[in-house]
Each structure stands twice: as structure tokens, then as C-alpha cells.
Amino acid sequence: MESAEGKPIYKGTVIGKVFFYSKGQNQVKRERITNTEAEIARFEQARETARKQLSALYEKAVVEVGEDNAGIFEVHSMLLEDEDYNDSIRNIIRNEQMNAEYAVAMTGDNFSVMFSRMEDEYFRARSADIKDISERLIRVLQRAGNDSAKLSEPVILVAEELAPSETVQLDKSKLLSFVTRLGSSNSHTAILARTMNLPSLIGVEIDENWNGKTAIVDANAGKIIVEPEDELLKYYREIAAQEEKRKALLKKLKGQPSVTKDGKSLRLYANIGNVSDVANVLANDAAGIGLFRSEFLYLEKEKYPTEEEQFFAYKTVAQNMAGKKVIIRTLDIGADKQVGYFNLAPEENPAMGYRAIRICLDRVNLFKTQLRAIYRASAYGDISIMVPMIISLEEVLDVKRICREVCEELHENGVPYKEVELGIMIETPAAVMISDLLAKEVEFFSIGTNDLTQYTLAMDRQNPKLDRLYDARHESIFRMIRMVIENGHAGGCWVGICGELGADTTLTERFIQMGIDELSVSPSFVLPVRKAIREANFVKKC
Ligand code: PEP
Ligand code: MG
């Protein structure tokens, strides 16, 4: 028996055979050639084939994992057109009289090293994409078939690293889990694993000798156990069976109302980061989207998403939700969510720095572009706007003025839009303390307990050393929640929670008794929270 630890990117337990996936290490021969122009023509031909393959992969990915996640193949297609990259290949063929495979391999290595040393995180991440397209070109030149894993049974796929193009080519019905040594929780592959609901780990010291052996992936505890002893296998089979049972039982709650035993009805919504998450929202029967973290649209891009791109994303979500509420949070960039093209200066204290609405009220054009996209999309469903990181009444009044200006412009141009509900996130102690004043200006509050905890306890939520002490169940947080609900209700607002604490089912009854109106949680927590609501009493029993 052997075990290794890793970082879970999607929780759960699976048991199965390991399939060790190695990228058919293309043995590239170094050959001197005489007809350099014919070799360049062969390279151009291979580029054309790769172009077609990428376009087919893009189409396939759009259907399977949504447009946003499929975007990576557009990035690959763009890299394939990069003139510096192509010139380098042509030069090696022409000047060094080398075969095309060798020229591509050399260029791929050089460019990927160059990208990996860049300051900008986005460009560093492109290093893997350069390797990916170079390998594709070499495969085409070698006329090798597509080396995606031919899986005959459901497996735990163990790999050094998985490129998105490899992930999307795998047969989803034959996949139980991904376990990789490299990769980050925000890599496209991690996003795809989550989209496919596969309990998976990254950062694992993998071993080729695991191939073909039985293993347990415990993505709750963050470990893989290879060739487990019978006792352990029995134990984990039991856990996996219980997880399945829990899921099946929860499915029975689909279609059921989120109402307490004594008849209080709650809005049970889900949180999303991009358009493709809507499938999960619908599969888990959420009554709406309580938090669409719109900054992910910006994080996935290499330049500002245009109004059209944003409009399309918001409209798609609104249409797919078919009339159910969709609360779009305006840009919450900054702190841990940095985007290179925003050119934000490094800060001593980014969590307490230049972020979210502070940026939007400075860069009004940027804010207006987003608001126009949201208002235009409002004509296609029930959209609301929610503003993060509010600390003052002035900020709210500024936001309302800018919203009015956007609406007037749309009206003058004859562009259809609807009046939308405007709400704010209560995630700073300042907002809590003036929630009575804020309530008079907006239609709803959504309590962001993740940031509220960090600012109330003076504890950076990203700092692993403070993980143990970062306690969202601190009495101060409960008192603040109560105060926000009371002030919100007195001022005519409905009040929800969209931070992680809202998914804590041991607190559901307590929140309900405090008078909470809405809970917005990750899609997979919708049914567990519905269960807790249905078992709760609104009126405290003495
Ligand atoms: C929060 O702070 O609780 C919240 C929901 O927003 P985010 O986690 O995106 O900062
Ligand atoms: Mg927050």
C-alpha cells in the first residue's frame, strides 16, 4: 500500500484502477534536409491541419463544457498564428537546414521557457499552451494519430500534467478522477474537472508504477491510496456508497419547495463564476442565481472583455435561467483576483487596497461598459445588479447616478432594457454599521461572510497560517448578520447570505430564525441546504 497527498480541486471519494497517462513523448528526430522550401511547405500543411483540429476541438468543447472553458482552444489557434513563433520555425528550417519536427520542437521549447519566465501571470500560463500546440504540430508532422487516452473502463487518470486539449478529448464516461503532479486550482484543467464533477487532486507526487493498480482517491482529505489493504478498501467502499446514497436522497428534494416545517419560504439560490456553471445550477434545482462573480469573465481574458462579450454572457445566463432571478455582481477585481491588463500597481495590503467598486468608481468607462452589458441583458430575463465592497452611502449614491446615466443613454439610443433591482454586498464592518442608512437606497442586501470575516477578525483570508483562526462562526459575525437583517428589513430590503457560511447546514435554522430571506450557495450545496430548510422551524420552539 502506498499513499500520497495532494490538493483537492473537487471533493468526493472514488475507487478505481489507475490509468497512468503519459503524453506520447514524441521522439523528435534531428535530421538535416536539403530542400528547405519543401520542408517549409510541409510545416505550413501541418499548421493547416492543426488549425482544423483546434476548430473541431473548440466546437466539441463548447457543447461539452461551455463557451468560456472552450475559449482555451481559441487561444491555441491564436498562438498557431503567432508570427514570431512561426518565423522561428521557418528560420531553423531554412538557416539550419533542419527537419520541421525538430524546428517546431526547438521553437516550442524556447518559447515555453521564455513565457514561463515572464512577470505577468497570464503570459506565464501560456507556457503550457505553447508546449501543447508544438506537440500537436509534431504529431501532425509525424502523422501520429491523436494520442488521447483510449480508455476502456472508468479510471482514475494519473498524469504529470493535463493540457485542456487533452482533458476535453477524454471520454467523460470513462473518467472517475484526475490526479496530477502539476497544475493549479485555477488552471483550465482544474476548472474542467470541477465542471465535470470529478473528485480530483493536484500537486501529488505521482508514480508511473501505479499504472493498472487499484486506488482510492479521497478528495475530501486530499489523498490517493494505491493498492489499499482490504480493510481500508472496505471502509472507503462504504464511504463512497454513503456519498452516493446521500446524493440519491438529495435528488428526491429536486422540485420540492424550500420551506420550513412551519411554512416560511426561503429563496435558495446558487453562486456561479461563469456561464457554463448554469448547467449545475439547473441540475441542482436552485431557484435562481444569487451571486454571479462577473470578474471571472475578466480573469479568463487577456484584455478587457468587450460590452458585446459581456452582454452575450449575461444574456445567455438570463435566458438559460428562463425567468428565474440572476444577480450579477459587478466587477470585484483586485486583492487575490488580479488581472495583468488592469495594470494595477503592486500593493502592501491588496485585500485592503484598490479593489472592486473602488476601481469601478475611478474607471467609470470600464464600469459603464459592464453596466450597459448588464442592462441590455436584463431584457432577456430577471436580472439584478449587486455591488461589492461598499463602505459608504456616497458610493451607493454614485453607483445609482451612474446606473441612471447608463439607462438614459440606452433609452436615447432605443436599446431595450428593464428596470433592475439594485443591491449591495454587505461585506465590510462599515457597511454593517450603516446598514440602516444603506437600506433606504437599495432593494436588497447580500451578506458576503467571506470578506466580512476577514475584515471583522482582521485576518487575511488568503493567509494559510491563519486558516486555523479564520472563523466565520465568530460571535461577532452572527451579531453583524442579525443587525444587517434587522436594519435591512426596517428599510424595506430583503436580506441574503452569499458567502460560504450560508452553506453551513448546521446554521440554517439559526439564520432562518434571525429572519434571513435568501441563501445563495455553491450549486452542489443547494439540495443539502434545502434539506436543512425543510427540517427547520422559523419560529423558535421554547
Ligand atoms: C464574500 O466575500 O463572502 C463573497 C461572497 O464574495 P467573494 O468570496 O467573491 O469575495
Ligand atoms: Mg467578497
Side-chain angles (χ1 to χ4, degrees):
M1 186 170 90
E2 217 183 311
S3 77
E5 297 195 346
K7 185 171 176 198
I9 50 177
Y10 186 78
K11 295 200 169 183
T13 309
V14 289
I15 301 168
K17 282 241 159 60
V18 169
F19 179 91
F20 196 92
Y21 178 74
S22 53
K23 300 174 194 282
Q25 295 291 340
N26 298 296
Q27 293 300 325
V28 175
K29 284 203 197 100
R30 185 174 189 272
E31 280 170 341
R32 193 165 285 281
I33 41 110
T34 45
N35 190 344
T36 54
E37 289 318 304
E39 196 63 4
I40 286 175
R42 198 165 78 84
F43 162 63
E44 298 298 350
Q45 186 79 48
R47 215 151 66 88
E48 182 54 33
T49 308
R51 217 177 265 135
K52 286 188 187 141
Q53 285 180 353
L54 285 168
S55 148
L57 274 175
Y58 175 78
E59 300 301 326
K60 183 172 187 284
V62 167
V63 176
E64 289 183 356
V65 292
E67 189 143 0
D68 279 358
N69 292 326
I72 190 63
F73 299 112
E74 286 189 315
V75 173
H76 284 197
S77 299
M78 269 162 48
L79 290 172
L80 204 55
E81 302 306 322
D82 186 282
E83 271 318 300
D84 291 338
Y85 175 79
N86 291 319
D87 281 348
S88 163
I89 295 169
R90 293 184 197 111
N91 285 341
I92 295 176
I93 298 174
R94 204 171 270 133
N95 301 338
E96 298 179 31
Q97 295 185 309
M98 283 297 155
N99 57 325
E101 289 87 334
Y102 176 80
V104 173
M106 281 299 104
T107 303
D109 284 352
N110 291 341
F111 273 62
S112 84
V113 169
M114 190 172 82
F115 273 84
S116 69
R117 290 187 179 146
M118 288 188 174
E119 287 245 314
D120 186 300
E121 198 176 326
Y122 173 82
F123 285 111
R124 277 206 306 278
R126 297 287 74 78
S127 169
D129 297 324
I130 289 276
K131 273 199 225 158
D132 204 8
I133 61 157
S134 303
E135 276 166 14
R136 175 175 303 284
L137 278 169
I138 292 169
R139 280 199 301 273
V140 175
L141 284 161
Q142 292 177 329
R143 294 186 198 289
N146 218 324
D147 67 354
S148 79
K150 306 273 186 300
L151 306 172
S152 52
E153 58 176 327
V155 294
I156 296 166
L157 196 121
V158 175
E160 179 71 7
E161 188 178 21
L162 276 173
S165 59
E166 292 167 306
T167 316
V168 83
Q169 286 177 55
L170 298 165
D171 179 353
K172 315 287 169 300
S173 65
K174 304 278 167 50
L175 275 178
L176 298 170
S177 161
F178 293 130
V179 175
T180 64
R181 194 172 75 78
L182 300 175
S184 74
S185 350
N186 295 314
S187 69
H188 282 93
T189 294
I191 293 169
L192 291 172
R194 282 196 285 268
T195 312
M196 295 182 229
N197 297 352
L198 298 176
S200 297
L201 303 173
I202 55 170
V204 178
E205 277 310 319
I206 56 166
D207 184 340
E208 199 160 352
N209 292 324
W210 295 349
N211 195 27
K213 294 180 178 165
T214 299
I216 300 161
V217 174
D218 177 354
N220 300 311
K223 60 182 170 187
I224 173 167
I225 305 158
V226 184
E227 289 195 304
E229 280 151 11
D230 287 352
E231 273 304 293
L232 203 59
L233 201 54
K234 206 169 135 209
Y235 168 78
Y236 271 105
R237 283 213 175 101
E238 189 69 15
I239 300 265
Q242 280 168 14
E243 281 177 10
E244 281 313 310
K245 247 190 230 157
R246 265 203 303 276
K247 276 190 218 156
L249 268 179
L250 283 171
K251 286 212 175 101
K252 293 204 173 130
L253 290 174
K254 282 171 76 169
Q256 301 288 327
S258 302
V259 178
T260 63
K261 283 201 278 195
D262 51 356
K264 157 107 176 163
S265 179
L266 264 94
R267 303 175 184 211
L268 180 54
Y269 294 165
N271 298 343
I272 64 165
N274 57 45
V275 181
S276 57
D277 294 339
V278 175
N280 238 344
V281 174
L282 296 173
N284 286 287
D285 195 31
I289 291 171
L291 168 64
F292 180 175
R293 291 181 161 99
S294 69
E295 58 277 5
F296 282 95
L297 296 179
Y298 293 70
L299 287 167
E300 283 168 5
K301 299 263 174 214
E302 61 197 294
K303 55 182 173 32
Y304 294 101
T306 62
E307 181 181 322
E308 283 315 302
E309 282 170 335
Q310 293 191 61
F311 166 62
F312 182 75
Y314 305 144
K315 177 178 131 186
T316 308
V317 172
Q319 283 178 326
N320 288 348
M321 289 300 291
K324 291 181 176 161
K325 179 159 293 295
V326 176
I327 301 178
I328 301 175
R329 173 173 77 184
T330 59
L331 188 59
D332 188 5
I333 219 80
D336 55 313
K337 290 175 261 179
Q338 293 289 341
V339 189
Y341 58 83
F342 270 65
N343 292 320
L344 300 178
E347 291 175 301
E348 283 279 314
N349 275 312
M352 308 234 265
Y354 195 53
R355 59 175 288 197
I357 193 62
R358 301 170 183 181
I359 299 179
C360 289
L361 291 179
D362 259 3
R363 303 190 182 180
V364 177
N365 282 341
L366 170 85
F367 193 31
K368 278 194 167 175
T369 303
Q370 177 172 42
L371 290 173
R372 261 196 311 274
I374 299 177
Y375 274 107
R376 284 173 57 198
S378 70
Y380 298 85
D382 181 4
I383 284 183
S384 300
I385 293 176
M386 174 159 82
V387 188
M389 279 297 288
I390 288 292
I391 57 153
S392 72
L393 193 59
E394 290 70 30
E395 284 171 340
V396 176
L397 297 176
D398 280 345
V399 169
K400 287 175 77 172
R401 176 183 46 78
I402 295 170
C403 285
R404 265 196 312 276
E405 285 168 15
V406 167
C407 290
E408 276 160 24
E409 283 159 26
L410 291 174
H411 180 71
E412 276 163 23
N413 293 316
V415 180
Y417 70 94
K418 281 195 209 145
E419 288 297 328
V420 305
E421 261 195 338
L422 178 71
I424 55 173
M425 289 199 64
I426 301 286
E427 51 184 348
T428 63
V432 174
M433 298 313 292
I434 57 164
S435 48
D436 54 335
L437 307 176
L438 298 170
K440 298 192 181 111
E441 297 299 332
V442 293
E443 271 95 33
F444 66 94
F445 287 160
S446 186
I447 306 174
T449 49
N450 309 337
D451 276 318
L452 188 58
T453 305
Q454 98 165 325
Y455 297 124
T456 305
L457 304 189
M459 237 171 240
D460 181 355
R461 67 193 256 200
Q462 306 296 328
N463 189 335
K465 285 213 185 89
L466 300 175
D467 233 28
R468 206 170 37 89
L469 299 169
Y470 174 98
D471 178 18
R473 300 171 61 117
H474 195 280
E475 182 55 28
S476 59
I477 304 297
F478 292 126
R479 290 188 191 187
M480 286 187 165
I481 294 173
R482 185 182 296 279
M483 183 174 180
V484 172
I485 295 171
E486 282 169 10
N487 283 337
H489 286 174
C493 285
W494 62 262
V495 183
I497 298 176
C498 63
E500 298 301 298
L501 197 68
D504 185 336
T505 49
T506 64
L507 297 174
T508 309
E509 185 166 49
R510 189 163 176 186
F511 293 144
I512 294 171
Q513 291 177 352
M514 283 182 183
I516 204 80
D517 303 294
E518 178 238 27
L519 291 169
S520 189
V521 297
S522 297
S524 55
F525 286 102
V526 168
L527 294 175
V529 174
R530 176 168 299 158
K531 181 167 179 284
I533 293 172
R534 292 170 64 83
E535 287 165 0
N537 279 303
F538 173 44
V539 180
K540 219 177 191 160
K541 293 248 188 285
C542 299

CSV table of all heavy atoms in Angstrom, one decimal, residues 264-302:
chain,number,residue,atom,x,y,z
A,264,LYS,N,-42.3,28.9,6.5
A,264,LYS,CA,-41.6,30.1,6.0
A,264,LYS,C,-40.8,29.7,4.7
A,264,LYS,O,-40.0,28.7,4.7
A,264,LYS,CB,-40.7,30.6,7.1
A,264,LYS,CG,-39.5,31.4,6.6
A,264,LYS,CD,-39.6,32.9,6.9
A,264,LYS,CE,-38.4,33.6,6.4
A,264,LYS,NZ,-38.5,35.0,6.3
A,265,SER,N,-41.0,30.4,3.7
A,265,SER,CA,-40.4,30.1,2.4
A,265,SER,C,-39.1,30.9,2.2
A,265,SER,O,-39.1,32.1,2.5
A,265,SER,CB,-41.5,30.5,1.3
A,265,SER,OG,-40.9,30.2,0.1
A,266,LEU,N,-38.1,30.2,1.8
A,266,LEU,CA,-36.8,30.9,1.5
A,266,LEU,C,-36.4,30.9,0.1
A,266,LEU,O,-36.8,30.0,-0.7
A,266,LEU,CB,-35.7,30.2,2.3
A,266,LEU,CG,-35.5,30.9,3.7
A,266,LEU,CD1,-36.3,30.2,4.7
A,266,LEU,CD2,-34.0,31.0,4.0
A,267,ARG,N,-35.7,31.9,-0.4
A,267,ARG,CA,-35.1,31.9,-1.7
A,267,ARG,C,-33.8,31.2,-1.6
A,267,ARG,O,-32.9,31.6,-0.9
A,267,ARG,CB,-34.8,33.3,-2.2
A,267,ARG,CG,-35.9,34.3,-2.1
A,267,ARG,CD,-35.4,35.7,-2.5
A,267,ARG,NE,-36.5,36.7,-2.4
A,267,ARG,CZ,-36.5,37.7,-3.1
A,267,ARG,NH1,-35.6,38.0,-4.1
A,267,ARG,NH2,-37.5,38.6,-3.0
A,268,LEU,N,-33.7,30.0,-2.3
A,268,LEU,CA,-32.5,29.2,-2.2
A,268,LEU,C,-31.8,29.3,-3.6
A,268,LEU,O,-32.3,28.7,-4.6
A,268,LEU,CB,-32.8,27.8,-1.8
A,268,LEU,CG,-31.6,26.9,-1.7
A,268,LEU,CD1,-30.5,27.4,-0.8
A,268,LEU,CD2,-32.1,25.5,-1.2
A,269,TYR,N,-30.8,30.1,-3.7
A,269,TYR,CA,-30.1,30.4,-4.9
A,269,TYR,C,-28.7,29.8,-5.0
A,269,TYR,O,-28.2,29.2,-4.0
A,269,TYR,CB,-30.0,31.9,-5.1
A,269,TYR,CG,-31.3,32.7,-5.3
A,269,TYR,CD1,-31.3,34.1,-5.1
A,269,TYR,CD2,-32.5,32.1,-5.6
A,269,TYR,CE1,-32.5,34.8,-5.3
A,269,TYR,CE2,-33.6,32.8,-5.8
A,269,TYR,CZ,-33.6,34.2,-5.6
A,269,TYR,OH,-34.8,34.9,-5.8
A,270,ALA,N,-28.1,29.9,-6.1
A,270,ALA,CA,-26.7,29.3,-6.3
A,270,ALA,C,-25.7,30.4,-6.7
A,270,ALA,O,-26.1,31.4,-7.4
A,270,ALA,CB,-26.8,28.2,-7.3
A,271,ASN,N,-24.4,30.1,-6.4
A,271,ASN,CA,-23.4,31.1,-6.8
A,271,ASN,C,-22.7,30.5,-8.1
A,271,ASN,O,-22.4,29.3,-8.1
A,271,ASN,CB,-22.3,31.2,-5.7
A,271,ASN,CG,-22.8,31.7,-4.4
A,271,ASN,OD1,-23.9,32.3,-4.4
A,271,ASN,ND2,-22.1,31.5,-3.3
A,272,ILE,N,-22.4,31.4,-9.0
A,272,ILE,CA,-21.6,30.9,-10.2
A,272,ILE,C,-20.5,31.8,-10.5
A,272,ILE,O,-20.4,33.0,-10.1
A,272,ILE,CB,-22.5,30.7,-11.4
A,272,ILE,CG1,-23.1,32.1,-11.9
A,272,ILE,CG2,-23.7,29.8,-11.2
A,272,ILE,CD1,-23.7,32.1,-13.3
A,273,GLY,N,-19.5,31.3,-11.3
A,273,GLY,CA,-18.4,32.1,-11.8
A,273,GLY,C,-18.4,32.3,-13.3
A,273,GLY,O,-17.8,33.3,-13.8
A,274,ASN,N,-19.1,31.4,-14.0
A,274,ASN,CA,-19.2,31.6,-15.4
A,274,ASN,C,-20.4,31.0,-16.0
A,274,ASN,O,-21.1,30.2,-15.3
A,274,ASN,CB,-17.9,31.2,-16.2
A,274,ASN,CG,-17.5,29.8,-15.9
A,274,ASN,OD1,-18.4,29.0,-16.0
A,274,ASN,ND2,-16.2,29.6,-15.6
A,275,VAL,N,-20.5,31.2,-17.3
A,275,VAL,CA,-21.8,30.8,-18.0
A,275,VAL,C,-22.0,29.3,-17.9
A,275,VAL,O,-23.2,28.8,-17.6
A,275,VAL,CB,-21.8,31.2,-19.5
A,275,VAL,CG1,-23.0,30.8,-20.2
A,275,VAL,CG2,-21.5,32.7,-19.6
A,276,SER,N,-20.9,28.5,-18.0
A,276,SER,CA,-21.2,27.1,-18.1
A,276,SER,C,-21.6,26.5,-16.7
A,276,SER,O,-22.1,25.4,-16.6
A,276,SER,CB,-19.9,26.3,-18.5
A,276,SER,OG,-18.9,26.7,-17.7
A,277,ASP,N,-21.5,27.3,-15.6
A,277,ASP,CA,-21.9,26.8,-14.3
A,277,ASP,C,-23.4,26.7,-14.2
A,277,ASP,O,-24.0,26.1,-13.3
A,277,ASP,CB,-21.4,27.7,-13.2
A,277,ASP,CG,-19.9,27.7,-13.0
A,277,ASP,OD1,-19.3,26.7,-13.5
A,277,ASP,OD2,-19.4,28.7,-12.5
A,278,VAL,N,-24.1,27.3,-15.2
A,278,VAL,CA,-25.6,27.4,-15.1
A,278,VAL,C,-26.2,25.9,-15.2
A,278,VAL,O,-27.1,25.6,-14.5
A,278,VAL,CB,-26.2,28.2,-16.2
A,278,VAL,CG1,-27.7,28.2,-16.3
A,278,VAL,CG2,-25.7,29.7,-16.1
A,279,ALA,N,-25.5,25.1,-15.9
A,279,ALA,CA,-25.9,23.7,-16.0
A,279,ALA,C,-26.0,23.1,-14.7
A,279,ALA,O,-27.0,22.4,-14.3
A,279,ALA,CB,-25.0,22.9,-16.9
A,280,ASN,N,-25.0,23.3,-13.8
A,280,ASN,CA,-25.0,22.8,-12.5
A,280,ASN,C,-26.1,23.4,-11.6
A,280,ASN,O,-26.6,22.8,-10.7
A,280,ASN,CB,-23.6,23.1,-11.9
A,280,ASN,CG,-22.9,21.9,-11.4
A,280,ASN,OD1,-23.6,20.8,-11.3
A,280,ASN,ND2,-21.6,22.0,-11.2
A,281,VAL,N,-26.4,24.7,-11.8
A,281,VAL,CA,-27.4,25.4,-11.1
A,281,VAL,C,-28.8,24.7,-11.4
A,281,VAL,O,-29.5,24.4,-10.4
A,281,VAL,CB,-27.5,26.9,-11.5
A,281,VAL,CG1,-28.6,27.6,-10.8
A,281,VAL,CG2,-26.2,27.6,-11.1
A,282,LEU,N,-29.0,24.5,-12.6
A,282,LEU,CA,-30.3,23.9,-13.0
A,282,LEU,C,-30.3,22.4,-12.5
A,282,LEU,O,-31.4,22.0,-12.0
A,282,LEU,CB,-30.5,23.9,-14.5
A,282,LEU,CG,-30.5,25.4,-15.1
A,282,LEU,CD1,-30.5,25.4,-16.6
A,282,LEU,CD2,-31.8,26.1,-14.6
A,283,ALA,N,-29.2,21.7,-12.7
A,283,ALA,CA,-29.2,20.3,-12.2
A,283,ALA,C,-29.5,20.2,-10.8
A,283,ALA,O,-30.0,19.2,-10.3
A,283,ALA,CB,-27.9,19.6,-12.6
A,284,ASN,N,-29.1,21.2,-10.0
A,284,ASN,CA,-29.3,21.1,-8.5
A,284,ASN,C,-30.6,21.9,-8.1
A,284,ASN,O,-30.8,22.0,-6.9
A,284,ASN,CB,-28.1,21.6,-7.8
A,284,ASN,CG,-27.0,20.6,-7.8
A,284,ASN,OD1,-27.0,19.6,-7.2
A,284,ASN,ND2,-26.0,20.9,-8.7
A,285,ASP,N,-31.3,22.4,-9.1
A,285,ASP,CA,-32.7,22.9,-8.9
A,285,ASP,C,-32.7,24.2,-8.0
A,285,ASP,O,-33.5,24.3,-7.1
A,285,ASP,CB,-33.6,21.8,-8.2
A,285,ASP,CG,-35.0,22.2,-8.2
A,285,ASP,OD1,-35.4,22.9,-9.2
A,285,ASP,OD2,-35.7,21.8,-7.3
A,286,ALA,N,-31.7,25.0,-8.2
A,286,ALA,CA,-31.7,26.3,-7.4
A,286,ALA,C,-32.8,27.2,-8.0
A,286,ALA,O,-33.1,27.1,-9.2
A,286,ALA,CB,-30.3,27.0,-7.5
A,287,ALA,N,-33.3,28.0,-7.2
A,287,ALA,CA,-34.4,28.9,-7.6
A,287,ALA,C,-33.9,30.1,-8.4
A,287,ALA,O,-34.7,30.9,-8.9
A,287,ALA,CB,-35.3,29.3,-6.4
A,288,GLY,N,-32.6,30.3,-8.4
A,288,GLY,CA,-32.1,31.5,-9.0
A,288,GLY,C,-30.6,31.5,-8.8
A,288,GLY,O,-30.0,30.6,-8.2
A,289,ILE,N,-29.9,32.5,-9.3
A,289,ILE,CA,-28.5,32.7,-9.1
A,289,ILE,C,-28.4,33.9,-8.2
A,289,ILE,O,-28.8,35.1,-8.5
A,289,ILE,CB,-27.8,32.9,-10.5
A,289,ILE,CG1,-27.8,31.6,-11.2
A,289,ILE,CG2,-26.3,33.4,-10.2
A,289,ILE,CD1,-27.3,31.7,-12.6
A,290,GLY,N,-27.8,33.7,-7.0
A,290,GLY,CA,-27.7,34.8,-6.0
A,290,GLY,C,-26.4,35.5,-6.1
A,290,GLY,O,-26.3,36.6,-5.5
A,291,LEU,N,-25.4,35.0,-6.8
A,291,LEU,CA,-24.1,35.6,-7.0
A,291,LEU,C,-23.5,35.1,-8.2
A,291,LEU,O,-23.1,34.0,-8.3
A,291,LEU,CB,-23.2,35.4,-5.8
A,291,LEU,CG,-21.8,35.7,-5.9
A,291,LEU,CD1,-21.6,37.2,-6.1
A,291,LEU,CD2,-21.0,35.3,-4.7
A,292,PHE,N,-23.4,36.0,-9.2
A,292,PHE,CA,-22.6,35.7,-10.5
A,292,PHE,C,-21.4,36.5,-10.3
A,292,PHE,O,-21.4,37.7,-10.4
A,292,PHE,CB,-23.5,36.1,-11.7
A,292,PHE,CG,-22.8,35.8,-13.0
A,292,PHE,CD1,-23.5,36.0,-14.2
A,292,PHE,CD2,-21.5,35.4,-13.1
A,292,PHE,CE1,-22.9,35.8,-15.4
A,292,PHE,CE2,-20.9,35.1,-14.4
A,292,PHE,CZ,-21.6,35.4,-15.5
A,293,ARG,N,-20.3,35.8,-10.0
A,293,ARG,CA,-19.0,36.6,-9.8
A,293,ARG,C,-18.5,37.0,-11.2
A,293,ARG,O,-17.7,36.3,-11.8
A,293,ARG,CB,-18.0,35.7,-9.1
A,293,ARG,CG,-18.3,35.4,-7.6
A,293,ARG,CD,-17.2,34.5,-7.0
A,293,ARG,NE,-17.2,34.5,-5.6
A,293,ARG,CZ,-17.8,33.6,-4.8
A,293,ARG,NH1,-18.4,32.5,-5.4
A,293,ARG,NH2,-17.7,33.7,-3.5
A,294,SER,N,-18.9,38.2,-11.6
A,294,SER,CA,-18.7,38.6,-13.0
A,294,SER,C,-17.2,38.8,-13.3
A,294,SER,O,-16.7,38.7,-14.5
A,294,SER,CB,-19.4,39.8,-13.3
A,294,SER,OG,-18.8,40.9,-12.6
A,295,GLU,N,-16.4,38.9,-12.3
A,295,GLU,CA,-14.9,39.2,-12.5
A,295,GLU,C,-14.3,38.0,-13.2
A,295,GLU,O,-13.2,38.1,-13.8
A,295,GLU,CB,-14.2,39.5,-11.3
A,295,GLU,CG,-14.2,38.5,-10.1
A,295,GLU,CD,-15.5,38.7,-9.3
A,295,GLU,OE1,-16.4,39.5,-9.7
A,295,GLU,OE2,-15.6,38.0,-8.3
A,296,PHE,N,-14.9,36.8,-13.1
A,296,PHE,CA,-14.3,35.6,-13.8
A,296,PHE,C,-14.3,35.8,-15.3
A,296,PHE,O,-13.4,35.3,-16.0
A,296,PHE,CB,-15.0,34.3,-13.4
A,296,PHE,CG,-14.5,33.8,-12.1
A,296,PHE,CD1,-15.2,34.1,-10.9
A,296,PHE,CD2,-13.3,33.1,-11.9
A,296,PHE,CE1,-14.8,33.7,-9.7
A,296,PHE,CE2,-12.9,32.7,-10.7
A,296,PHE,CZ,-13.6,33.0,-9.6
A,297,LEU,N,-15.2,36.6,-15.8
A,297,LEU,CA,-15.2,36.9,-17.3
A,297,LEU,C,-14.0,37.7,-17.6
A,297,LEU,O,-13.4,37.6,-18.7
A,297,LEU,CB,-16.4,37.8,-17.6
A,297,LEU,CG,-17.8,37.2,-17.5
A,297,LEU,CD1,-18.9,38.2,-17.9
A,297,LEU,CD2,-17.9,35.9,-18.3
A,298,TYR,N,-13.5,38.5,-16.7
A,298,TYR,CA,-12.3,39.3,-16.9
A,298,TYR,C,-11.1,38.5,-16.7
A,298,TYR,O,-10.1,38.7,-17.4
A,298,TYR,CB,-12.3,40.6,-15.9
A,298,TYR,CG,-13.4,41.6,-16.2
A,298,TYR,CD1,-14.7,41.3,-15.9
A,298,TYR,CD2,-13.1,42.8,-16.7
A,298,TYR,CE1,-15.7,42.2,-16.1
A,298,TYR,CE2,-14.1,43.8,-16.9
A,298,TYR,CZ,-15.4,43.4,-16.6
A,298,TYR,OH,-16.4,44.4,-16.9
A,299,LEU,N,-11.1,37.6,-15.7
A,299,LEU,CA,-9.9,36.8,-15.3
A,299,LEU,C,-9.6,35.9,-16.4
A,299,LEU,O,-8.4,35.5,-16.6
A,299,LEU,CB,-10.2,36.0,-14.0
A,299,LEU,CG,-10.2,36.8,-12.7
A,299,LEU,CD1,-10.8,36.0,-11.6
A,299,LEU,CD2,-8.8,37.3,-12.4
A,300,GLU,N,-10.6,35.5,-17.2
A,300,GLU,CA,-10.3,34.5,-18.3
A,300,GLU,C,-9.7,35.1,-19.5
A,300,GLU,O,-9.4,34.4,-20.4
A,300,GLU,CB,-11.6,33.8,-18.6
A,300,GLU,CG,-12.0,32.7,-17.6
A,300,GLU,CD,-13.4,32.2,-17.8
A,300,GLU,OE1,-14.0,32.6,-18.8
A,300,GLU,OE2,-13.8,31.4,-17.0
A,301,LYS,N,-9.7,36.4,-19.6
A,301,LYS,CA,-9.3,37.1,-20.8
A,301,LYS,C,-8.0,37.7,-20.7
A,301,LYS,O,-7.4,37.9,-19.6
A,301,LYS,CB,-10.3,38.3,-21.1
A,301,LYS,CG,-11.7,37.8,-21.3
A,301,LYS,CD,-12.1,37.7,-22.7
A,301,LYS,CE,-13.4,37.1,-22.9
A,301,LYS,NZ,-13.6,36.3,-24.0
A,302,GLU,N,-7.4,38.0,-21.9
A,302,GLU,CA,-6.1,38.7,-21.9
A,302,GLU,C,-6.3,40.2,-22.1
A,302,GLU,O,-5.3,40.9,-22.0
A,302,GLU,CB,-5.2,38.1,-22.9
A,302,GLU,CG,-5.8,38.3,-24.3
A,302,GLU,CD,-5.1,37.3,-25.3
A,302,GLU,OE1,-4.0,37.5,-25.6
A,302,GLU,OE2,-5.9,36.5,-25.8
